[in-house]
Amino acid sequence: MQKTPPITIAPGAGRFIFPALMRWYARGEGLTYALLRFGYGAIIFTHGLPKALGVSHGSMADPMAGSIRLIGEVMGLPFAPQLAFLVMLLETVGAAMLALGLLTRPLALLMFVEMIAISYAMGPTWPWIDRGIEYPVLLGLAALYMMLRGGGAWSLDSRIRYEI
């Protein structure tokens, strides 16, 4: 397993009131990043699994039909059923792989693109209570971070020692 580089204080950053915390932060950084990546994958997986199984999800009686409608009617894209199938694969197989840290960068890029598309389709409404885009924007930013950072020390990417 790769060692996580120590956290350093950037020039101009404030000093720690409790310097002993810096060591604790450095030790926990790799594990908390893995937890973020795993949690992200688990959350996205819960959106893909109902599409794959053809079962209801929340207020959606047929999530796959909802995805096809969103892609075809709201976004106006061609090949809506095929694109919805690819979204389902990304949200199931891709989410599980992301949770484990396998092919983290390309999968996070695809998740980022998906969240941009969802934000576009649901926008310009902001508040989540009105089916707004707050959560897709946040998930998109988290995916962008994972794409730039890679799998991290606690990932299958680090075990195979190759990343894209």
Side-chain angles (χ1 to χ4, degrees), residues 3 12 22 29 37 42 48 75 77 82 84 117 128 153-154 159:
K3 285 191 172 185
M22 191 167 85
E29 193 277 334
R37 194 190 65 246
M75 298 179 75
L77 295 174
Q82 293 82 2
W128 69 270
W154 294 62
R159 293 288 184 185

Side-chain angles (χ1 to χ4, degrees), residues 2 97 100-106 149-152 155-164:
Q2 296 175 346
M97 290 171 65
L100 298 172
L102 182 61
L103 297 176
T104 303
R105 292 181 196 273
R149 190 164 185 298
S155 68
L156 291 178
D157 287 340
S158 72
R159 293 288 184 185
I160 61 174
R161 297 185 180 175
Y162 287 101
E163 284 197 57
I164 294 175

Side-chain angles (χ1 to χ4, degrees), residues 7-159:
I7 294 177
T8 57
I9 301 174
R15 291 190 287 172
F16 285 93
I17 294 172
F18 303 106
L21 289 176
M22 191 167 85
R23 184 182 336 230
W24 188 79
Y25 294 148
R27 285 185 181 166
E29 193 277 334
L31 183 58
T32 54
Y33 175 68
L35 183 62
L36 171 71
R37 194 190 65 246
F38 184 84
Y40 187 100
I43 288 168
I44 298 300
F45 187 80
T46 66
H47 289 272
L49 192 59
K51 291 177 182 113
L53 298 177
V55 298
S56 64
H57 177 63
S59 62
M60 295 181 85
D62 186 350
M64 188 59 113
S67 290
I68 293 169
R69 188 190 71 70
L70 182 72
I71 292 167
E73 296 174 20
V74 176
M75 298 179 75
L77 295 174
F79 308 109
Q82 293 82 2
L83 288 172
F85 181 77
L86 292 175
V87 166
M88 181 273 299
L89 284 178
L90 178 63
E91 291 179 350
T92 52
V93 177
M97 290 171 65
L98 187 68
L100 298 172
L102 182 61
L103 297 176
T104 303
R105 292 181 196 273
L107 287 169
L109 173 63
L110 292 171
M111 300 275 182
F112 176 66
V113 170
E114 179 186 12
M115 294 306 142
I116 289 173
I118 290 170
S119 297
Y120 170 77
M122 295 179 72
T125 304
W126 185 255
W128 69 270
I129 196 83
D130 297 324
R131 297 186 54 87
I133 63 171
E134 289 172 332
Y135 290 125
V137 167
L138 180 61
L139 289 169
L141 292 172
L144 179 63
Y145 175 66
M146 287 184 275
M147 181 195 70
L148 294 173
R149 190 164 185 298
W154 294 62
S155 68
L156 291 178
D157 287 340
S158 72
R159 293 288 184 185

